[in-house]
Amino acid sequence: MKRYQLRIDGQKPDPDSRTWFETQNPYTAQAWAEVPKGNAKDVDLAVKAAHRALTAGPWAELTATQRGALLRRLGDLIARDATKLATIEVRDNGKLFAEMQSQLNYIPQWFYYYGGLADKVQGTTIPLDKKGYFAYTRNEPVGVVAAITPWNSPLMLLSWKIAPALAAGCTVVAKPSEFTSASTLELADLFEEAGFPPGVFNVVTGFGPEVGTPLVEHPLVSKISFTGSDATGRRINEAAGRHLKHTAMELGGKSPNVVFEDADLEQAAFGAISGIFAATGQTCIAGSRLLVQESIHDAFVERLLAVARAARMGDPMSPETQVGPVTTPPQYQKVLEYIDIARNEGATAVLGGSKGSRPECGDGWFVEPTIFTNVKNDMRIAQEEVFGPVLSVIRFKDEADALRIANDVRFGLAAAVWTSDIGRAIRMSEQLRAGTVWINTYRAVSFMAPFGGYKDSGLGRENGIDAIREYLQAKCVWINSGAVTGNPFVMR
Ligand code: NAI
Ligand code: MG
């Protein structure tokens, strides 16, 4: 079995605990690698290494242009190794190879984009209201960044954080999910090959209480960039608040996918399916609440069933497979529990509603693609994030009704509208309380499109030009060009 090492200051040390834990393959339910069980001592070493790299030595001396060149080189290496990294992701988290391959082919773009942006961040000169002074701003790295990531798209969600953070001149301690640590450790090798100085990118693996908590609380960490559950995000924000640290939080959702009677229903059905069964529903942007106009409700559900019934489950490495296993045993239990909750609340399972027991599911943690109708928006199945292949279908009467139901949830990560009426599309996009609104599409993301949550879905934005500001702080420099200091007891 493969045994991984921590990555601290360019070295591959044993964990302080001298213990490793097994990581499993969700398709076979078998362990395939051993991951170091980090603790607060490892975190301390990694943060100190990151802080040294931030404040002294080659990284701190680089120009932004040189940092950009390193990022682009890293992007080239990820592109070179895309298939290898995608295969590791599939083995560790069970998502389809087709999905992971396309993610890994796309990830270099984050490093090219932010590599290009690194030396285009400019300060301003201030047209001061005071004579005899000149003032300008500098944008400086915010400090050591803790990048805490989940198991659903480990390298992509990590790249959304580290590409802008490194472009800004920050250094990073990454803590991947305990369920999917392998790919982040593999990525660390490429940093070395690209020529990043030691300490710029460190990885401490392990569990939330033993690694996550000391990382969040470490006095030399300035910013925590987190993607995961809203419960953990809240806990991290409380600790960050006590220590006055910056945070960026991407906390999932319960996104409405709204289908009007005037939509292209074939396209809308594909959009609905991609919103909930792609990636086995394990995405923060899952379109888990499907709002369908009354007049087309039954016919639209029939369309969905026709596509979803034929969905092939099985080996995520196979190009034939469309729905893979759930990534973790606790998540598998959670999804099955929510199916029970929905039934007990009175929703009707018109598809699935059980664990996957087809022969091609083997011992893997599979859940049948599940569609519930007769869902009321106040049911738990309509309000809580399941993070699995479970769709809630809710009827609405008209535009006002759709909008009311769509916004009646505490999350606000994404929303979609399917309609052929441009006026309605614009009205809905203005009124939906979500950080991303898709019109006649679903599940589209880009390195250049700002992404983040309204309401309980998070704080801050990833991707796009402004995301680099998440990792910068402005300093204003005042220069006296002729003002005379008079009365020292009053403000200038
Ligand atoms: P989680 O939010 O607990 O874990 C995310 C990351 O935070 C992991 O690396 C974990 O080790 C770390 N962590 C846990 N406790 C911590 C602490 N006290 N301080 C610092 N870091 C800590 O998510 P988990 O348990 O893996 O999944 C639970 C639920 O979260 C899922 O069922 C799903 O509903 C949701 N989720 C949402 C995601 C999203 O993309 N927004 C991604 C993954 C899960
Ligand atoms: Mg695993």
Side-chain angles (χ1 to χ4, degrees):
M1 208 179 322
K2 173 142 188 148
R3 172 177 275 207
Y4 283 99
Q5 295 292 110
L6 296 177
R7 179 60 66 122
I8 298 174
D9 209 10
Q11 308 290 310
K12 296 183 172 181
D14 285 351
D16 171 73
S17 68
R18 300 283 183 277
T19 50
W20 280 253
F21 60 95
E22 291 179 342
T23 190
Q24 292 165 300
N25 176 337
Y27 174 55
T28 61
Q30 299 291 317
W32 73 274
E34 292 182 322
V35 176
K37 193 164 182 291
N39 66 20
K41 286 196 180 144
D42 303 308
V43 167
D44 186 53
L45 289 175
V47 173
K48 283 181 174 151
H51 193 258
R52 273 196 307 277
L54 177 81
T55 50
W59 178 253
E61 303 283 306
L62 291 184
T63 64
T65 308
Q66 291 169 321
R67 286 201 303 273
L70 282 177
L71 281 166
R72 288 193 294 276
R73 204 172 303 151
L74 179 64
D76 285 342
L77 296 178
I78 295 171
R80 182 197 69 190
D81 288 358
T83 300
K84 175 189 160 196
L85 292 167
T87 307
I88 288 166
E89 293 277 47
V90 175
R91 198 175 297 145
D92 215 10
N93 90 343
K95 276 179 132 181
L96 300 189
F97 181 73
E99 164 113 348
M100 283 304 163
Q101 175 82 293
S102 75
Q103 278 192 13
L104 263 298
N105 286 335
Y106 198 26
I107 284 172
Q109 297 300 328
W110 269 263
F111 294 94
Y112 300 147
Y113 179 80
Y114 287 103
L117 188 59
D119 62 3
K120 289 159 199 72
V121 177
Q122 299 177 347
T124 52
T125 56
I126 314 295
L128 278 179
D129 61 321
K130 297 174 201 298
K131 279 211 179 323
Y133 296 98
F134 170 64
Y136 64 95
T137 61
R138 288 164 49 78
N139 292 292
E140 298 184 351
V142 76
V144 174
V145 173
I148 303 179
T149 50
W151 38 259
N152 50 326
S153 288
L155 285 182
M156 190 171 81
L157 298 174
L158 179 70
S159 300
W160 292 13
K161 303 179 188 315
I162 66 177
L166 297 169
C170 294
T171 57
V172 174
V173 178
K175 187 235 160 298
S177 166
E178 56 273 28
F179 298 107
T180 56
S181 301
S183 57
T184 302
L185 291 164
E186 299 274 351
L187 182 73
D189 287 342
L190 299 186
F191 273 82
E192 196 166 311
E193 194 180 341
F196 281 82
V200 174
F201 180 71
N202 308 274
V203 185
V204 182
T205 51
F207 294 81
E210 290 137 43
V211 175
T213 299
L215 183 57
V216 167
E217 300 197 341
H218 199 291
L220 294 177
V221 168
S222 300
K223 166 122 194 173
I224 298 125
S225 182
F226 172 81
T227 301
S229 66
D230 73 302
T232 301
R234 270 168 221 280
R235 210 170 302 133
I236 290 175
N237 252 300
E238 283 166 16
R242 281 196 300 280
H243 298 270
L244 281 178
K245 292 172 195 259
H246 302 265
T247 61
M249 298 275 139
E250 202 274 88
L251 307 179
K254 194 72 188 178
S255 299
N257 199 355
V258 185
V259 183
F260 286 96
E261 60 190 4
D262 62 9
D264 176 334
L265 296 182
E266 189 185 11
Q267 285 292 296
F270 283 166
I273 298 280
S274 83
I276 193 66
F277 298 133
T280 316
Q282 302 175 109
T283 72
C284 49
I285 50 179
S288 49
R289 287 189 304 147
L290 181 66
L291 278 51
V292 184
Q293 196 156 17
E294 235 166 34
S295 50
I296 55 161
H297 176 278
D298 293 356
F300 193 72
V301 169
E302 279 309 318
R303 264 178 199 273
L304 286 185
L305 287 173
V307 183
R309 246 189 228 121
R312 286 182 298 272
M313 299 169 80
D315 184 350
M317 283 303 290
S318 161
E320 304 291 300
T321 301
Q322 294 167 317
V323 180
V326 168
T327 298
T328 82
Q331 188 61 26
Y332 177 60
Q333 289 308 326
K334 178 179 165 181
V335 175
L336 293 174
E337 269 163 38
Y338 268 105
I339 288 173
D340 285 343
I341 289 168
R343 278 219 179 81
N344 293 336
E345 287 178 310
T348 311
V350 292
L351 183 73
S354 65
K355 60 186 179 188
S357 47
R358 308 178 195 186
E360 55 271 33
C361 295
D363 293 328
W365 307 315
F366 284 88
V367 176
E368 287 288 332
T370 296
I371 299 178
F372 281 106
T373 56
N374 293 319
V375 175
K376 303 277 175 291
N377 195 48
D378 59 2
M379 292 179 179
R380 287 182 63 192
I381 197 64
Q383 292 289 322
E384 298 174 19
E385 183 174 54
V386 176
F387 224 70
V390 181
L391 181 65
S392 294
V393 185
I394 303 171
R395 296 165 186 264
F396 68 87
K397 287 195 192 55
D398 53 19
E399 198 176 307
D401 197 31
L403 196 58
R404 180 186 58 75
I405 298 169
N407 283 336
D408 182 12
V409 68
R410 67 188 179 85
F411 293 106
L413 191 61
V417 180
W418 298 85
T419 179
S420 56
D421 177 341
I422 183 69
R424 166 177 282 161
I426 293 170
R427 287 191 299 276
M428 290 292 289
S429 71
E430 288 171 352
Q431 300 293 322
L432 283 164
R433 306 282 299 150
T436 294
V437 176
W438 291 295
I439 306 295
N440 294 332
T441 188
Y442 207 90
R443 220 172 164 243
V445 295
S446 166
F447 52 89
M448 57 170 78
F451 180 88
Y454 277 37
K455 303 199 277 187
D456 286 7
S457 288
L459 300 169
R461 290 291 178 273
E462 302 195 288
N463 305 338
I465 289 178
D466 291 344
I468 198 168
R469 304 248 163 228
E470 297 273 348
Y471 301 97
L472 291 166
Q473 54 190 342
K475 174 185 281 176
C476 190
V477 181
W478 288 68
I479 299 171
N480 185 337
S481 62
V484 175
T485 301
N487 182 350
F489 298 100
V490 297
M491 200 166 85
R492 286 309 103 219

